[in-house]
Amino acid sequence: MRNEQPGRISTLCVYAAMLFLIAPLLAVIPISFTPKHFLSMPDGDWSLRHYRELMSSAQWHDGILTSALVALLAAGLATVFATLFCIGIGYAKSRYGAAFIGIVLAPLAVPPIISALALYFLVTPSTPSTRCRGW
């Protein structure tokens, strides 16, 4: 029988990836306790100023509520459309099924900035003054 346990290298890679994803929080959390008006590393004084403002400001509450509503609607619509797509592609048995799946998964594979640059260059007129040199 084969051993189904991950090896040491796999385990090390997982821990390295977790550290890479969590490391920015190690910088952001202390910055949030600065007493200064603008976010910066605290010089020795610690304050809950920014958290007090977050809890007491109606403007922040409205922004958080709007963000949560947009996130819920986007997640709901994405789930419905993805489910319908999966059911449809499963029943269709089309020879273009793999191409459709590739088109749907393309945004996951292509970083958003590359997509934005591609759309920018497709939409803007290509004149000598707007063309990037060296591209």
Side-chain angles (χ1 to χ4, degrees):
M1 284 179 71
R2 292 177 50 196
N3 184 7
E4 297 294 329
Q5 296 294 321
R8 288 185 180 171
I9 294 176
S10 297
T11 305
L12 182 65
C13 288
V14 167
Y15 286 128
M18 288 171 46
L19 180 65
F20 178 75
L21 293 172
I22 294 173
L25 288 178
L26 299 176
V28 171
I29 291 172
I31 288 173
S32 70
F33 289 105
T34 186
K36 298 177 183 172
H37 183 66
F38 295 103
L39 295 177
S40 62
M41 286 300 283
D43 295 333
D45 295 335
W46 295 76
S47 170
L48 296 174
R49 170 188 185 166
H50 299 289
Y51 291 102
R52 257 187 260 116
E53 185 177 339
L54 177 70
M55 295 301 174
S56 64
S57 172
Q59 206 172 19
W60 276 105
H61 291 172
D62 292 343
I64 291 170
L65 185 64
T66 302
S67 295
L69 181 63
V70 168
L72 285 172
L73 287 173
L77 283 172
T79 302
V80 168
F81 287 141
T83 303
L84 291 174
F85 175 79
C86 291
I87 292 169
I89 209 77
Y91 280 119
K93 305 288 186 204
S94 172
R95 65 181 182 184
Y96 301 114
F100 288 137
I101 292 172
I103 290 169
V104 169
L105 293 179
L108 295 173
V110 178
I113 190 69
I114 302 298
S115 300
L117 282 172
L119 288 172
Y120 173 76
F121 285 117
L122 281 174
V123 173
T124 57
S126 180
T127 61
S129 62
T130 60
R131 234 182 263 140
C132 291
R133 298 191 193 292
W135 283 28

